[in-house]
Amino acid sequence: MSEDSRQLLEVTDLSSSFDTEAGELVAVDDVDFKVDRGRTLGIVGESGCGKSVSALSLIRLLPQPMGKVRSGEVWFDGRDLQKVDRDEMHEIRGNDISMIFQEPMTALNPVHTIGRQLTEAIHLHQDVSPEEALEQAIEMLKRVRIPAPEIRVGEYPHQLSGGMRQRVMIAMALINRPKLLIADEPTTALDVTVQAQILALIDELQQEMGMAVILITHDLGVIAENCDDVVVMYGGRVVEWTSTRELFANPLHAYTKGLLRSIPRLDRERKTKLPTIPGNVPSLQEMPSGCRFSTRSEVEHDDESIRTRPDFKEVSPGHWVETCPYCYEG
Amino acid sequence: MKPLLKIEDLKMHFPVKGGVFLRAMGACKAVDGVSLTVNEGETVGLVGESGCGKSTLAKATARLLDPTAGRIEFEGTDITHLRRRELNPVRREMQMIFQDPAESLNPRHSVRDIVEEPLVIQKRGSRAERGKRVAELLEKVGLSESAGNRYPFEFSGGQRQRIGIARALALNPKLILCDEPVSALDVSVQSQVLNLLMELQEDFGLAYLFIAHDLAVVKHVSDRVAIMYLGKIVELAGADEIYENPKHAYTKALISAIPVADPSLDRDRRLLEGDVPSPIDPPQGCAFGHRMGHPKWEASVGMDLALREVSPGHWVQPCPCCTDES
């Protein structure tokens, strides 16, 4: 396959902002990444780093009217999603690209049955009879391993457990066999044993259907076990982008290194001092225009690097990093 | 080591009402016969999935709930049935930190008022002395003195948790019940708060009952770890021992479910089927064996499932379905 036909999504220079009382806040600032067909890209970062806003921007679901995409291109399967009209975008969403969210209870409609919500998604994108749609819905519930799907289709979201609801969300997202699934912290609200089930399920359905996945998470463990490539975000920017193996074996940016060091691990000696990243994530207004990590770095930055945005460069094949002279040793 | 807190066969049941006349239909057995000791200066970790009763256990221990049965002994005194006023001296010694500092701090009070409140309630010192103590506490948890004039919303999650810790420390307690103290925090901030808790333990000889669902976090800070499933403790051992040598099938399943931040590991996962069952009318016998549909589960019905010591300090629920020891 040529490089072009393998590639499903290419995001270049994507910027998004919100209008707030404090003025325009740029939440995503010139972000680039790519996803190949059938692969899994992880986006990792702490709260407020712009990982969810990036995902919402690319499918044009930013909260209106405050949110807007300021610039950038989102090439998906030969089309620029920022240029297509609303009807075409409707067609793409739910059909070619689906999204699942952290809290399924807020994403599912509490007053409609599971069956009605699933068949609605089918009717929107396929021309089938109600009976056929219901059959497809039951079939899909079976595939996400919901016990007694014939009974569950007639039930309401509150009658299901958290793990079951997330399964319903996945069923709904995958019912039209999308090419890309965006999963925004799909397991954060779940227990570890249920998290393992859900991630295994996504992985299995991905193998079966050959879709690509963007997995947004704050958990580096989830990244290590489920992703092919990783984008590390901080303060609305991508600071590092490479394959998962490379990132864990050879992290280059000071923020990535700090994050990897500070996770509690089972093999670390107990009751020892954990390495930390000093300080807190500054608010968007307080972010420096240059190296965003400069306020928390252990190395003091000079004025030049605080003011001027460092280049985002490919420093070895497939390994991109923001080349602030204090956060990256080139 | 001197035992500080001794919980014996504690039960916390809530009536479940239903029907036309809201009669009691059954009981939600949130905590169902838990025995646990916390020694002076020790950290005991309590791990389990949501709904297993770990928070209820903490609340009953702090006597924010009235236990259905069992006994709670703190510093040698039975506090199970003490009345509100009689609990005052106990509360000086036993404090609590909660998961969501945004919800456990009064948004209308300044940080100074929040940290000072326990001192006011317990009638400690003059106004000036209290002011001095507040400044000292804020410094201790890594906040500037000027933070006292500000309000909780002005702080980030990690800083708010520091305020909660300062409040808990105000009366020099011996025991702090920590209910998921770092679950709401980002990774880089989480390790800061864990370091602070460990430092304070060293400085003041504090004991912690540390409740969390993240096993890696619990293992790091704890001396001993108890694993809780559906209202009961199924395994209790030294923190290293329980990870290196887990005996109960549920402990093994939990450890195997943690995602490990190392892509070069190819792990053999045992996936658990199903969800945590409801504590309303829980199954008889071993609840985990029941969830797994284990062929030997039936043998555990009617058995005495009290923890048994299989090696020094390592206690396991002796059911035929989940342990090889019995």
Side-chain angles (χ1 to χ4, degrees):
Chain A
M1 249 194 281
S2 73
E3 197 189 330
D4 287 350
S5 60
R6 241 185 340 188
Q7 188 175 304
L8 179 67
L9 177 78
E10 180 173 12
V11 175
T12 33
D13 296 336
L14 183 71
S15 293
S16 302
S17 63
F18 290 95
D19 280 326
T20 67
E21 283 171 21
E24 189 186 31
L25 291 181
V26 180
V28 173
D29 192 9
D30 278 347
V31 161
D32 302 287
F33 55 83
K34 286 180 203 160
V35 185
D36 283 345
R37 287 171 203 281
R39 303 269 288 179
T40 304
L41 173 77
I43 303 183
V44 69
E46 299 178 279
S47 36
C49 74
K51 50 194 195 300
S52 296
V53 178
S54 302
L56 291 174
S57 306
L58 69 92
I59 55 169
R60 302 202 351 215
L61 278 182
L62 281 178
Q64 296 300 327
M66 309 85 80
K68 67 163 190 281
V69 174
R70 302 167 88 212
S71 61
E73 291 179 357
V74 178
W75 283 94
F76 175 79
D77 217 13
R79 279 182 287 191
D80 184 353
L81 298 188
Q82 295 303 322
K83 299 256 163 59
V84 301
D85 62 29
R86 281 177 58 142
D87 291 345
E88 201 175 346
M89 197 63 216
H90 266 301
E91 195 53 41
I92 293 170
R93 256 189 255 123
N95 200 26
D96 293 327
I97 305 180
S98 284
M99 187 155 177
I100 52 178
F101 301 90
Q102 175 174 349
E103 200 5 277
M105 198 59 208
T106 51
L108 291 170
N109 190 332
V111 301
H112 290 170
T113 61
I114 305 297
R116 173 154 177 198
Q117 298 184 57
L118 275 165
T119 47
E120 185 187 358
I122 299 170
H123 286 304
L124 274 175
H125 297 285
Q126 296 175 35
D127 186 21
V128 292
S129 70
E131 293 74 30
E132 267 173 81
L134 189 66
E135 214 166 277
Q136 276 192 38
I138 292 172
E139 181 54 32
M140 199 62 219
L141 288 177
K142 216 178 269 169
R143 289 182 77 180
V144 296
R145 262 181 259 115
I146 287 191
E150 297 83 0
I151 298 167
R152 293 296 186 187
V153 281
E155 291 189 343
Y156 292 88
H158 71 90
Q159 291 172 290
L160 306 176
S161 68
M164 283 298 153
R165 277 182 219 139
Q166 198 56 286
R167 283 168 194 270
V168 170
M169 280 295 298
I170 293 172
M172 206 183 283
L174 298 186
I175 200 147
N176 292 311
R177 294 184 156 259
K179 293 174 183 143
L180 174 67
L181 172 71
I182 302 173
D184 188 359
E185 303 262 12
T187 56
T188 307
L190 305 175
D191 286 311
V192 271
T193 58
V194 183
Q195 161 169 293
Q197 292 168 10
I198 296 290
L199 292 172
L201 177 71
I202 293 177
D203 185 57
E204 194 188 302
L205 294 168
Q206 181 179 19
Q207 307 287 338
E208 245 179 76
M209 300 184 171
M211 67 196 171
V213 175
I214 295 180
L215 184 61
I216 299 172
T217 176
H218 65 277
D219 187 335
L220 283 158
V222 170
I223 293 279
E225 296 200 344
N226 299 282
C227 300
D228 301 306
D229 301 292
V230 197
V231 161
V232 182
M233 287 190 72
Y234 185 80
R237 291 184 190 157
V238 176
V239 294
E240 196 159 352
W241 170 32
T242 183
S243 73
T244 305
R245 270 173 188 271
E246 169 75 5
L247 187 92
F248 283 85
N250 189 24
L252 294 178
H253 196 277
Y255 176 61
T256 316
K257 289 181 187 171
L259 261 191
L260 285 171
R261 268 199 307 263
S262 57
I263 15 176
R265 309 173 66 111
L266 284 173
D267 51 9
R268 184 174 272 141
E269 199 189 330
R270 281 192 306 112
K271 294 217 156 184
T272 50
K273 198 164 183 235
L274 291 163
T276 58
I277 299 176
N280 297 288
V281 182
S283 69
L284 286 172
Q285 294 113 299
E286 295 161 357
M287 279 287 178
S289 52
C291 172
R292 300 228 141 152
F293 193 56
S294 57
T295 59
R296 298 182 71 191
S297 167
E298 275 155 12
V299 191
E300 200 165 329
H301 285 50
D302 64 5
D303 284 353
E304 166 69 12
S305 66
I306 295 173
R307 247 182 296 114
T308 328
R309 180 167 181 174
D311 286 335
F312 187 60
K313 275 198 226 147
E314 188 170 18
V315 293
S316 62
H319 198 151
W320 293 70
V321 63
E322 201 176 65
T323 54
C324 163
Y326 298 96
C327 295
Y328 162 71
E329 293 154 26
Chain B
M1 266 190 293
K2 246 174 81 187
L4 183 64
L5 171 74
K6 241 170 131 176
I7 301 169
E8 278 168 31
D9 203 23
L10 191 74
K11 287 185 181 156
M12 188 68 234
H13 295 181
F14 300 95
V16 180
K17 293 181 176 156
V20 189
F21 300 107
L22 290 181
R23 276 178 311 145
M25 305 281 284
C28 169
K29 300 182 176 177
V31 175
D32 198 20
V34 164
S35 300
L36 190 65
T37 304
V38 181
N39 295 312
E40 277 179 8
E42 181 191 39
T43 305
V44 175
L46 186 61
V47 185
E49 297 180 277
S50 47
C52 75
K54 50 195 195 303
S55 293
T56 307
L57 178 64
K59 282 186 189 149
T61 305
R63 283 292 318 280
L64 297 173
L65 296 170
D66 288 324
T68 313
R71 189 180 146 87
I72 306 162
E73 208 176 272
F74 186 73
E75 294 193 286
T77 346
D78 183 351
I79 63 163
T80 330
H81 302 292
L82 290 189
R83 273 175 306 222
R84 232 184 126 123
R85 192 157 307 188
E86 298 167 329
L87 275 170
N88 251 348
V90 177
R91 297 237 158 101
R92 277 201 285 271
E93 308 287 342
M94 191 197 310
Q95 289 283 318
M96 220 170 152
I97 307 173
F98 302 89
Q99 168 170 1
D100 190 347
E103 275 175 36
S104 56
L105 303 176
N106 189 330
R108 290 161 160 274
H109 285 183
S110 70
V111 170
R112 175 168 299 118
D113 293 343
I114 291 170
V115 178
E116 193 185 4
E117 197 172 15
L119 299 167
V120 176
I121 292 172
Q122 298 275 354
K123 303 191 181 68
R124 288 284 183 88
S126 66
R127 182 179 278 259
E129 281 164 345
R130 290 199 302 261
K132 224 179 110 201
R133 174 80 180 135
V134 170
E136 204 180 283
L137 287 163
L138 290 177
E139 197 214 311
K140 198 76 224 163
V141 297
L143 293 170
S144 65
E145 208 191 322
S146 66
N149 300 326
R150 291 157 66 193
Y151 289 83
F153 74 89
E154 297 177 65
F155 295 88
S156 68
Q159 289 167 319
R160 279 201 286 248
Q161 198 53 287
R162 287 171 193 270
I163 299 168
I165 294 171
R167 175 177 62 183
L169 284 176
L171 295 163
N172 279 323
K174 291 203 171 101
L175 173 70
I176 299 184
L177 309 169
C178 312
D179 190 1
E180 301 265 13
V182 297
S183 328
L185 305 178
D186 277 317
V187 206
S188 73
V189 179
Q190 174 176 305
S191 46
Q192 292 173 7
V193 173
L194 291 174
N195 281 345
L196 174 66
L197 287 171
M198 290 190 289
E199 223 173 84
L200 294 171
Q201 178 165 50
E202 201 131 284
D203 292 356
F204 300 119
L206 292 170
Y208 294 126
L209 179 64
F210 192 96
I211 299 173
H213 64 276
D214 185 331
L215 287 96
V217 166
V218 169
K219 187 204 166 199
H220 192 82
V221 300
S222 302
D223 298 296
R224 291 187 297 143
V225 175
I227 309 283
M228 197 162 169
Y229 186 76
L230 212 62
K232 291 192 167 81
I233 289 177
V234 295
E235 187 161 4
L236 169 69
D240 287 320
E241 166 76 5
I242 211 161
Y243 288 93
E244 279 155 24
N245 197 11
K247 298 277 186 224
H248 195 275
Y250 181 61
T251 314
K252 291 180 190 168
L254 267 187
I255 293 173
S256 124
I258 317 173
V260 176
D262 183 355
S264 59
L265 276 181
D266 201 12
R267 294 203 309 156
D268 181 26
R269 266 277 168 80
R270 0 170 144 202
L271 278 185
L272 274 185
E273 290 287 325
D275 293 300
V276 184
S278 152
I280 299 171
D281 297 323
Q284 287 187 299
C286 170
F288 189 66
H290 183 264
R291 172 175 173 187
M292 301 296 285
H294 197 283
K296 285 194 201 157
W297 162 75
E298 248 168 80
S300 75
V301 179
M303 252 180 83
D304 175 18
L305 292 176
L307 296 185
R308 202 176 290 166
E309 195 167 21
V310 289
S311 60
H314 194 149
W315 299 74
V316 189
Q317 175 183 285
C319 55
C321 40
C322 302
T323 45
D324 334 313
E325 301 296 317
S326 52

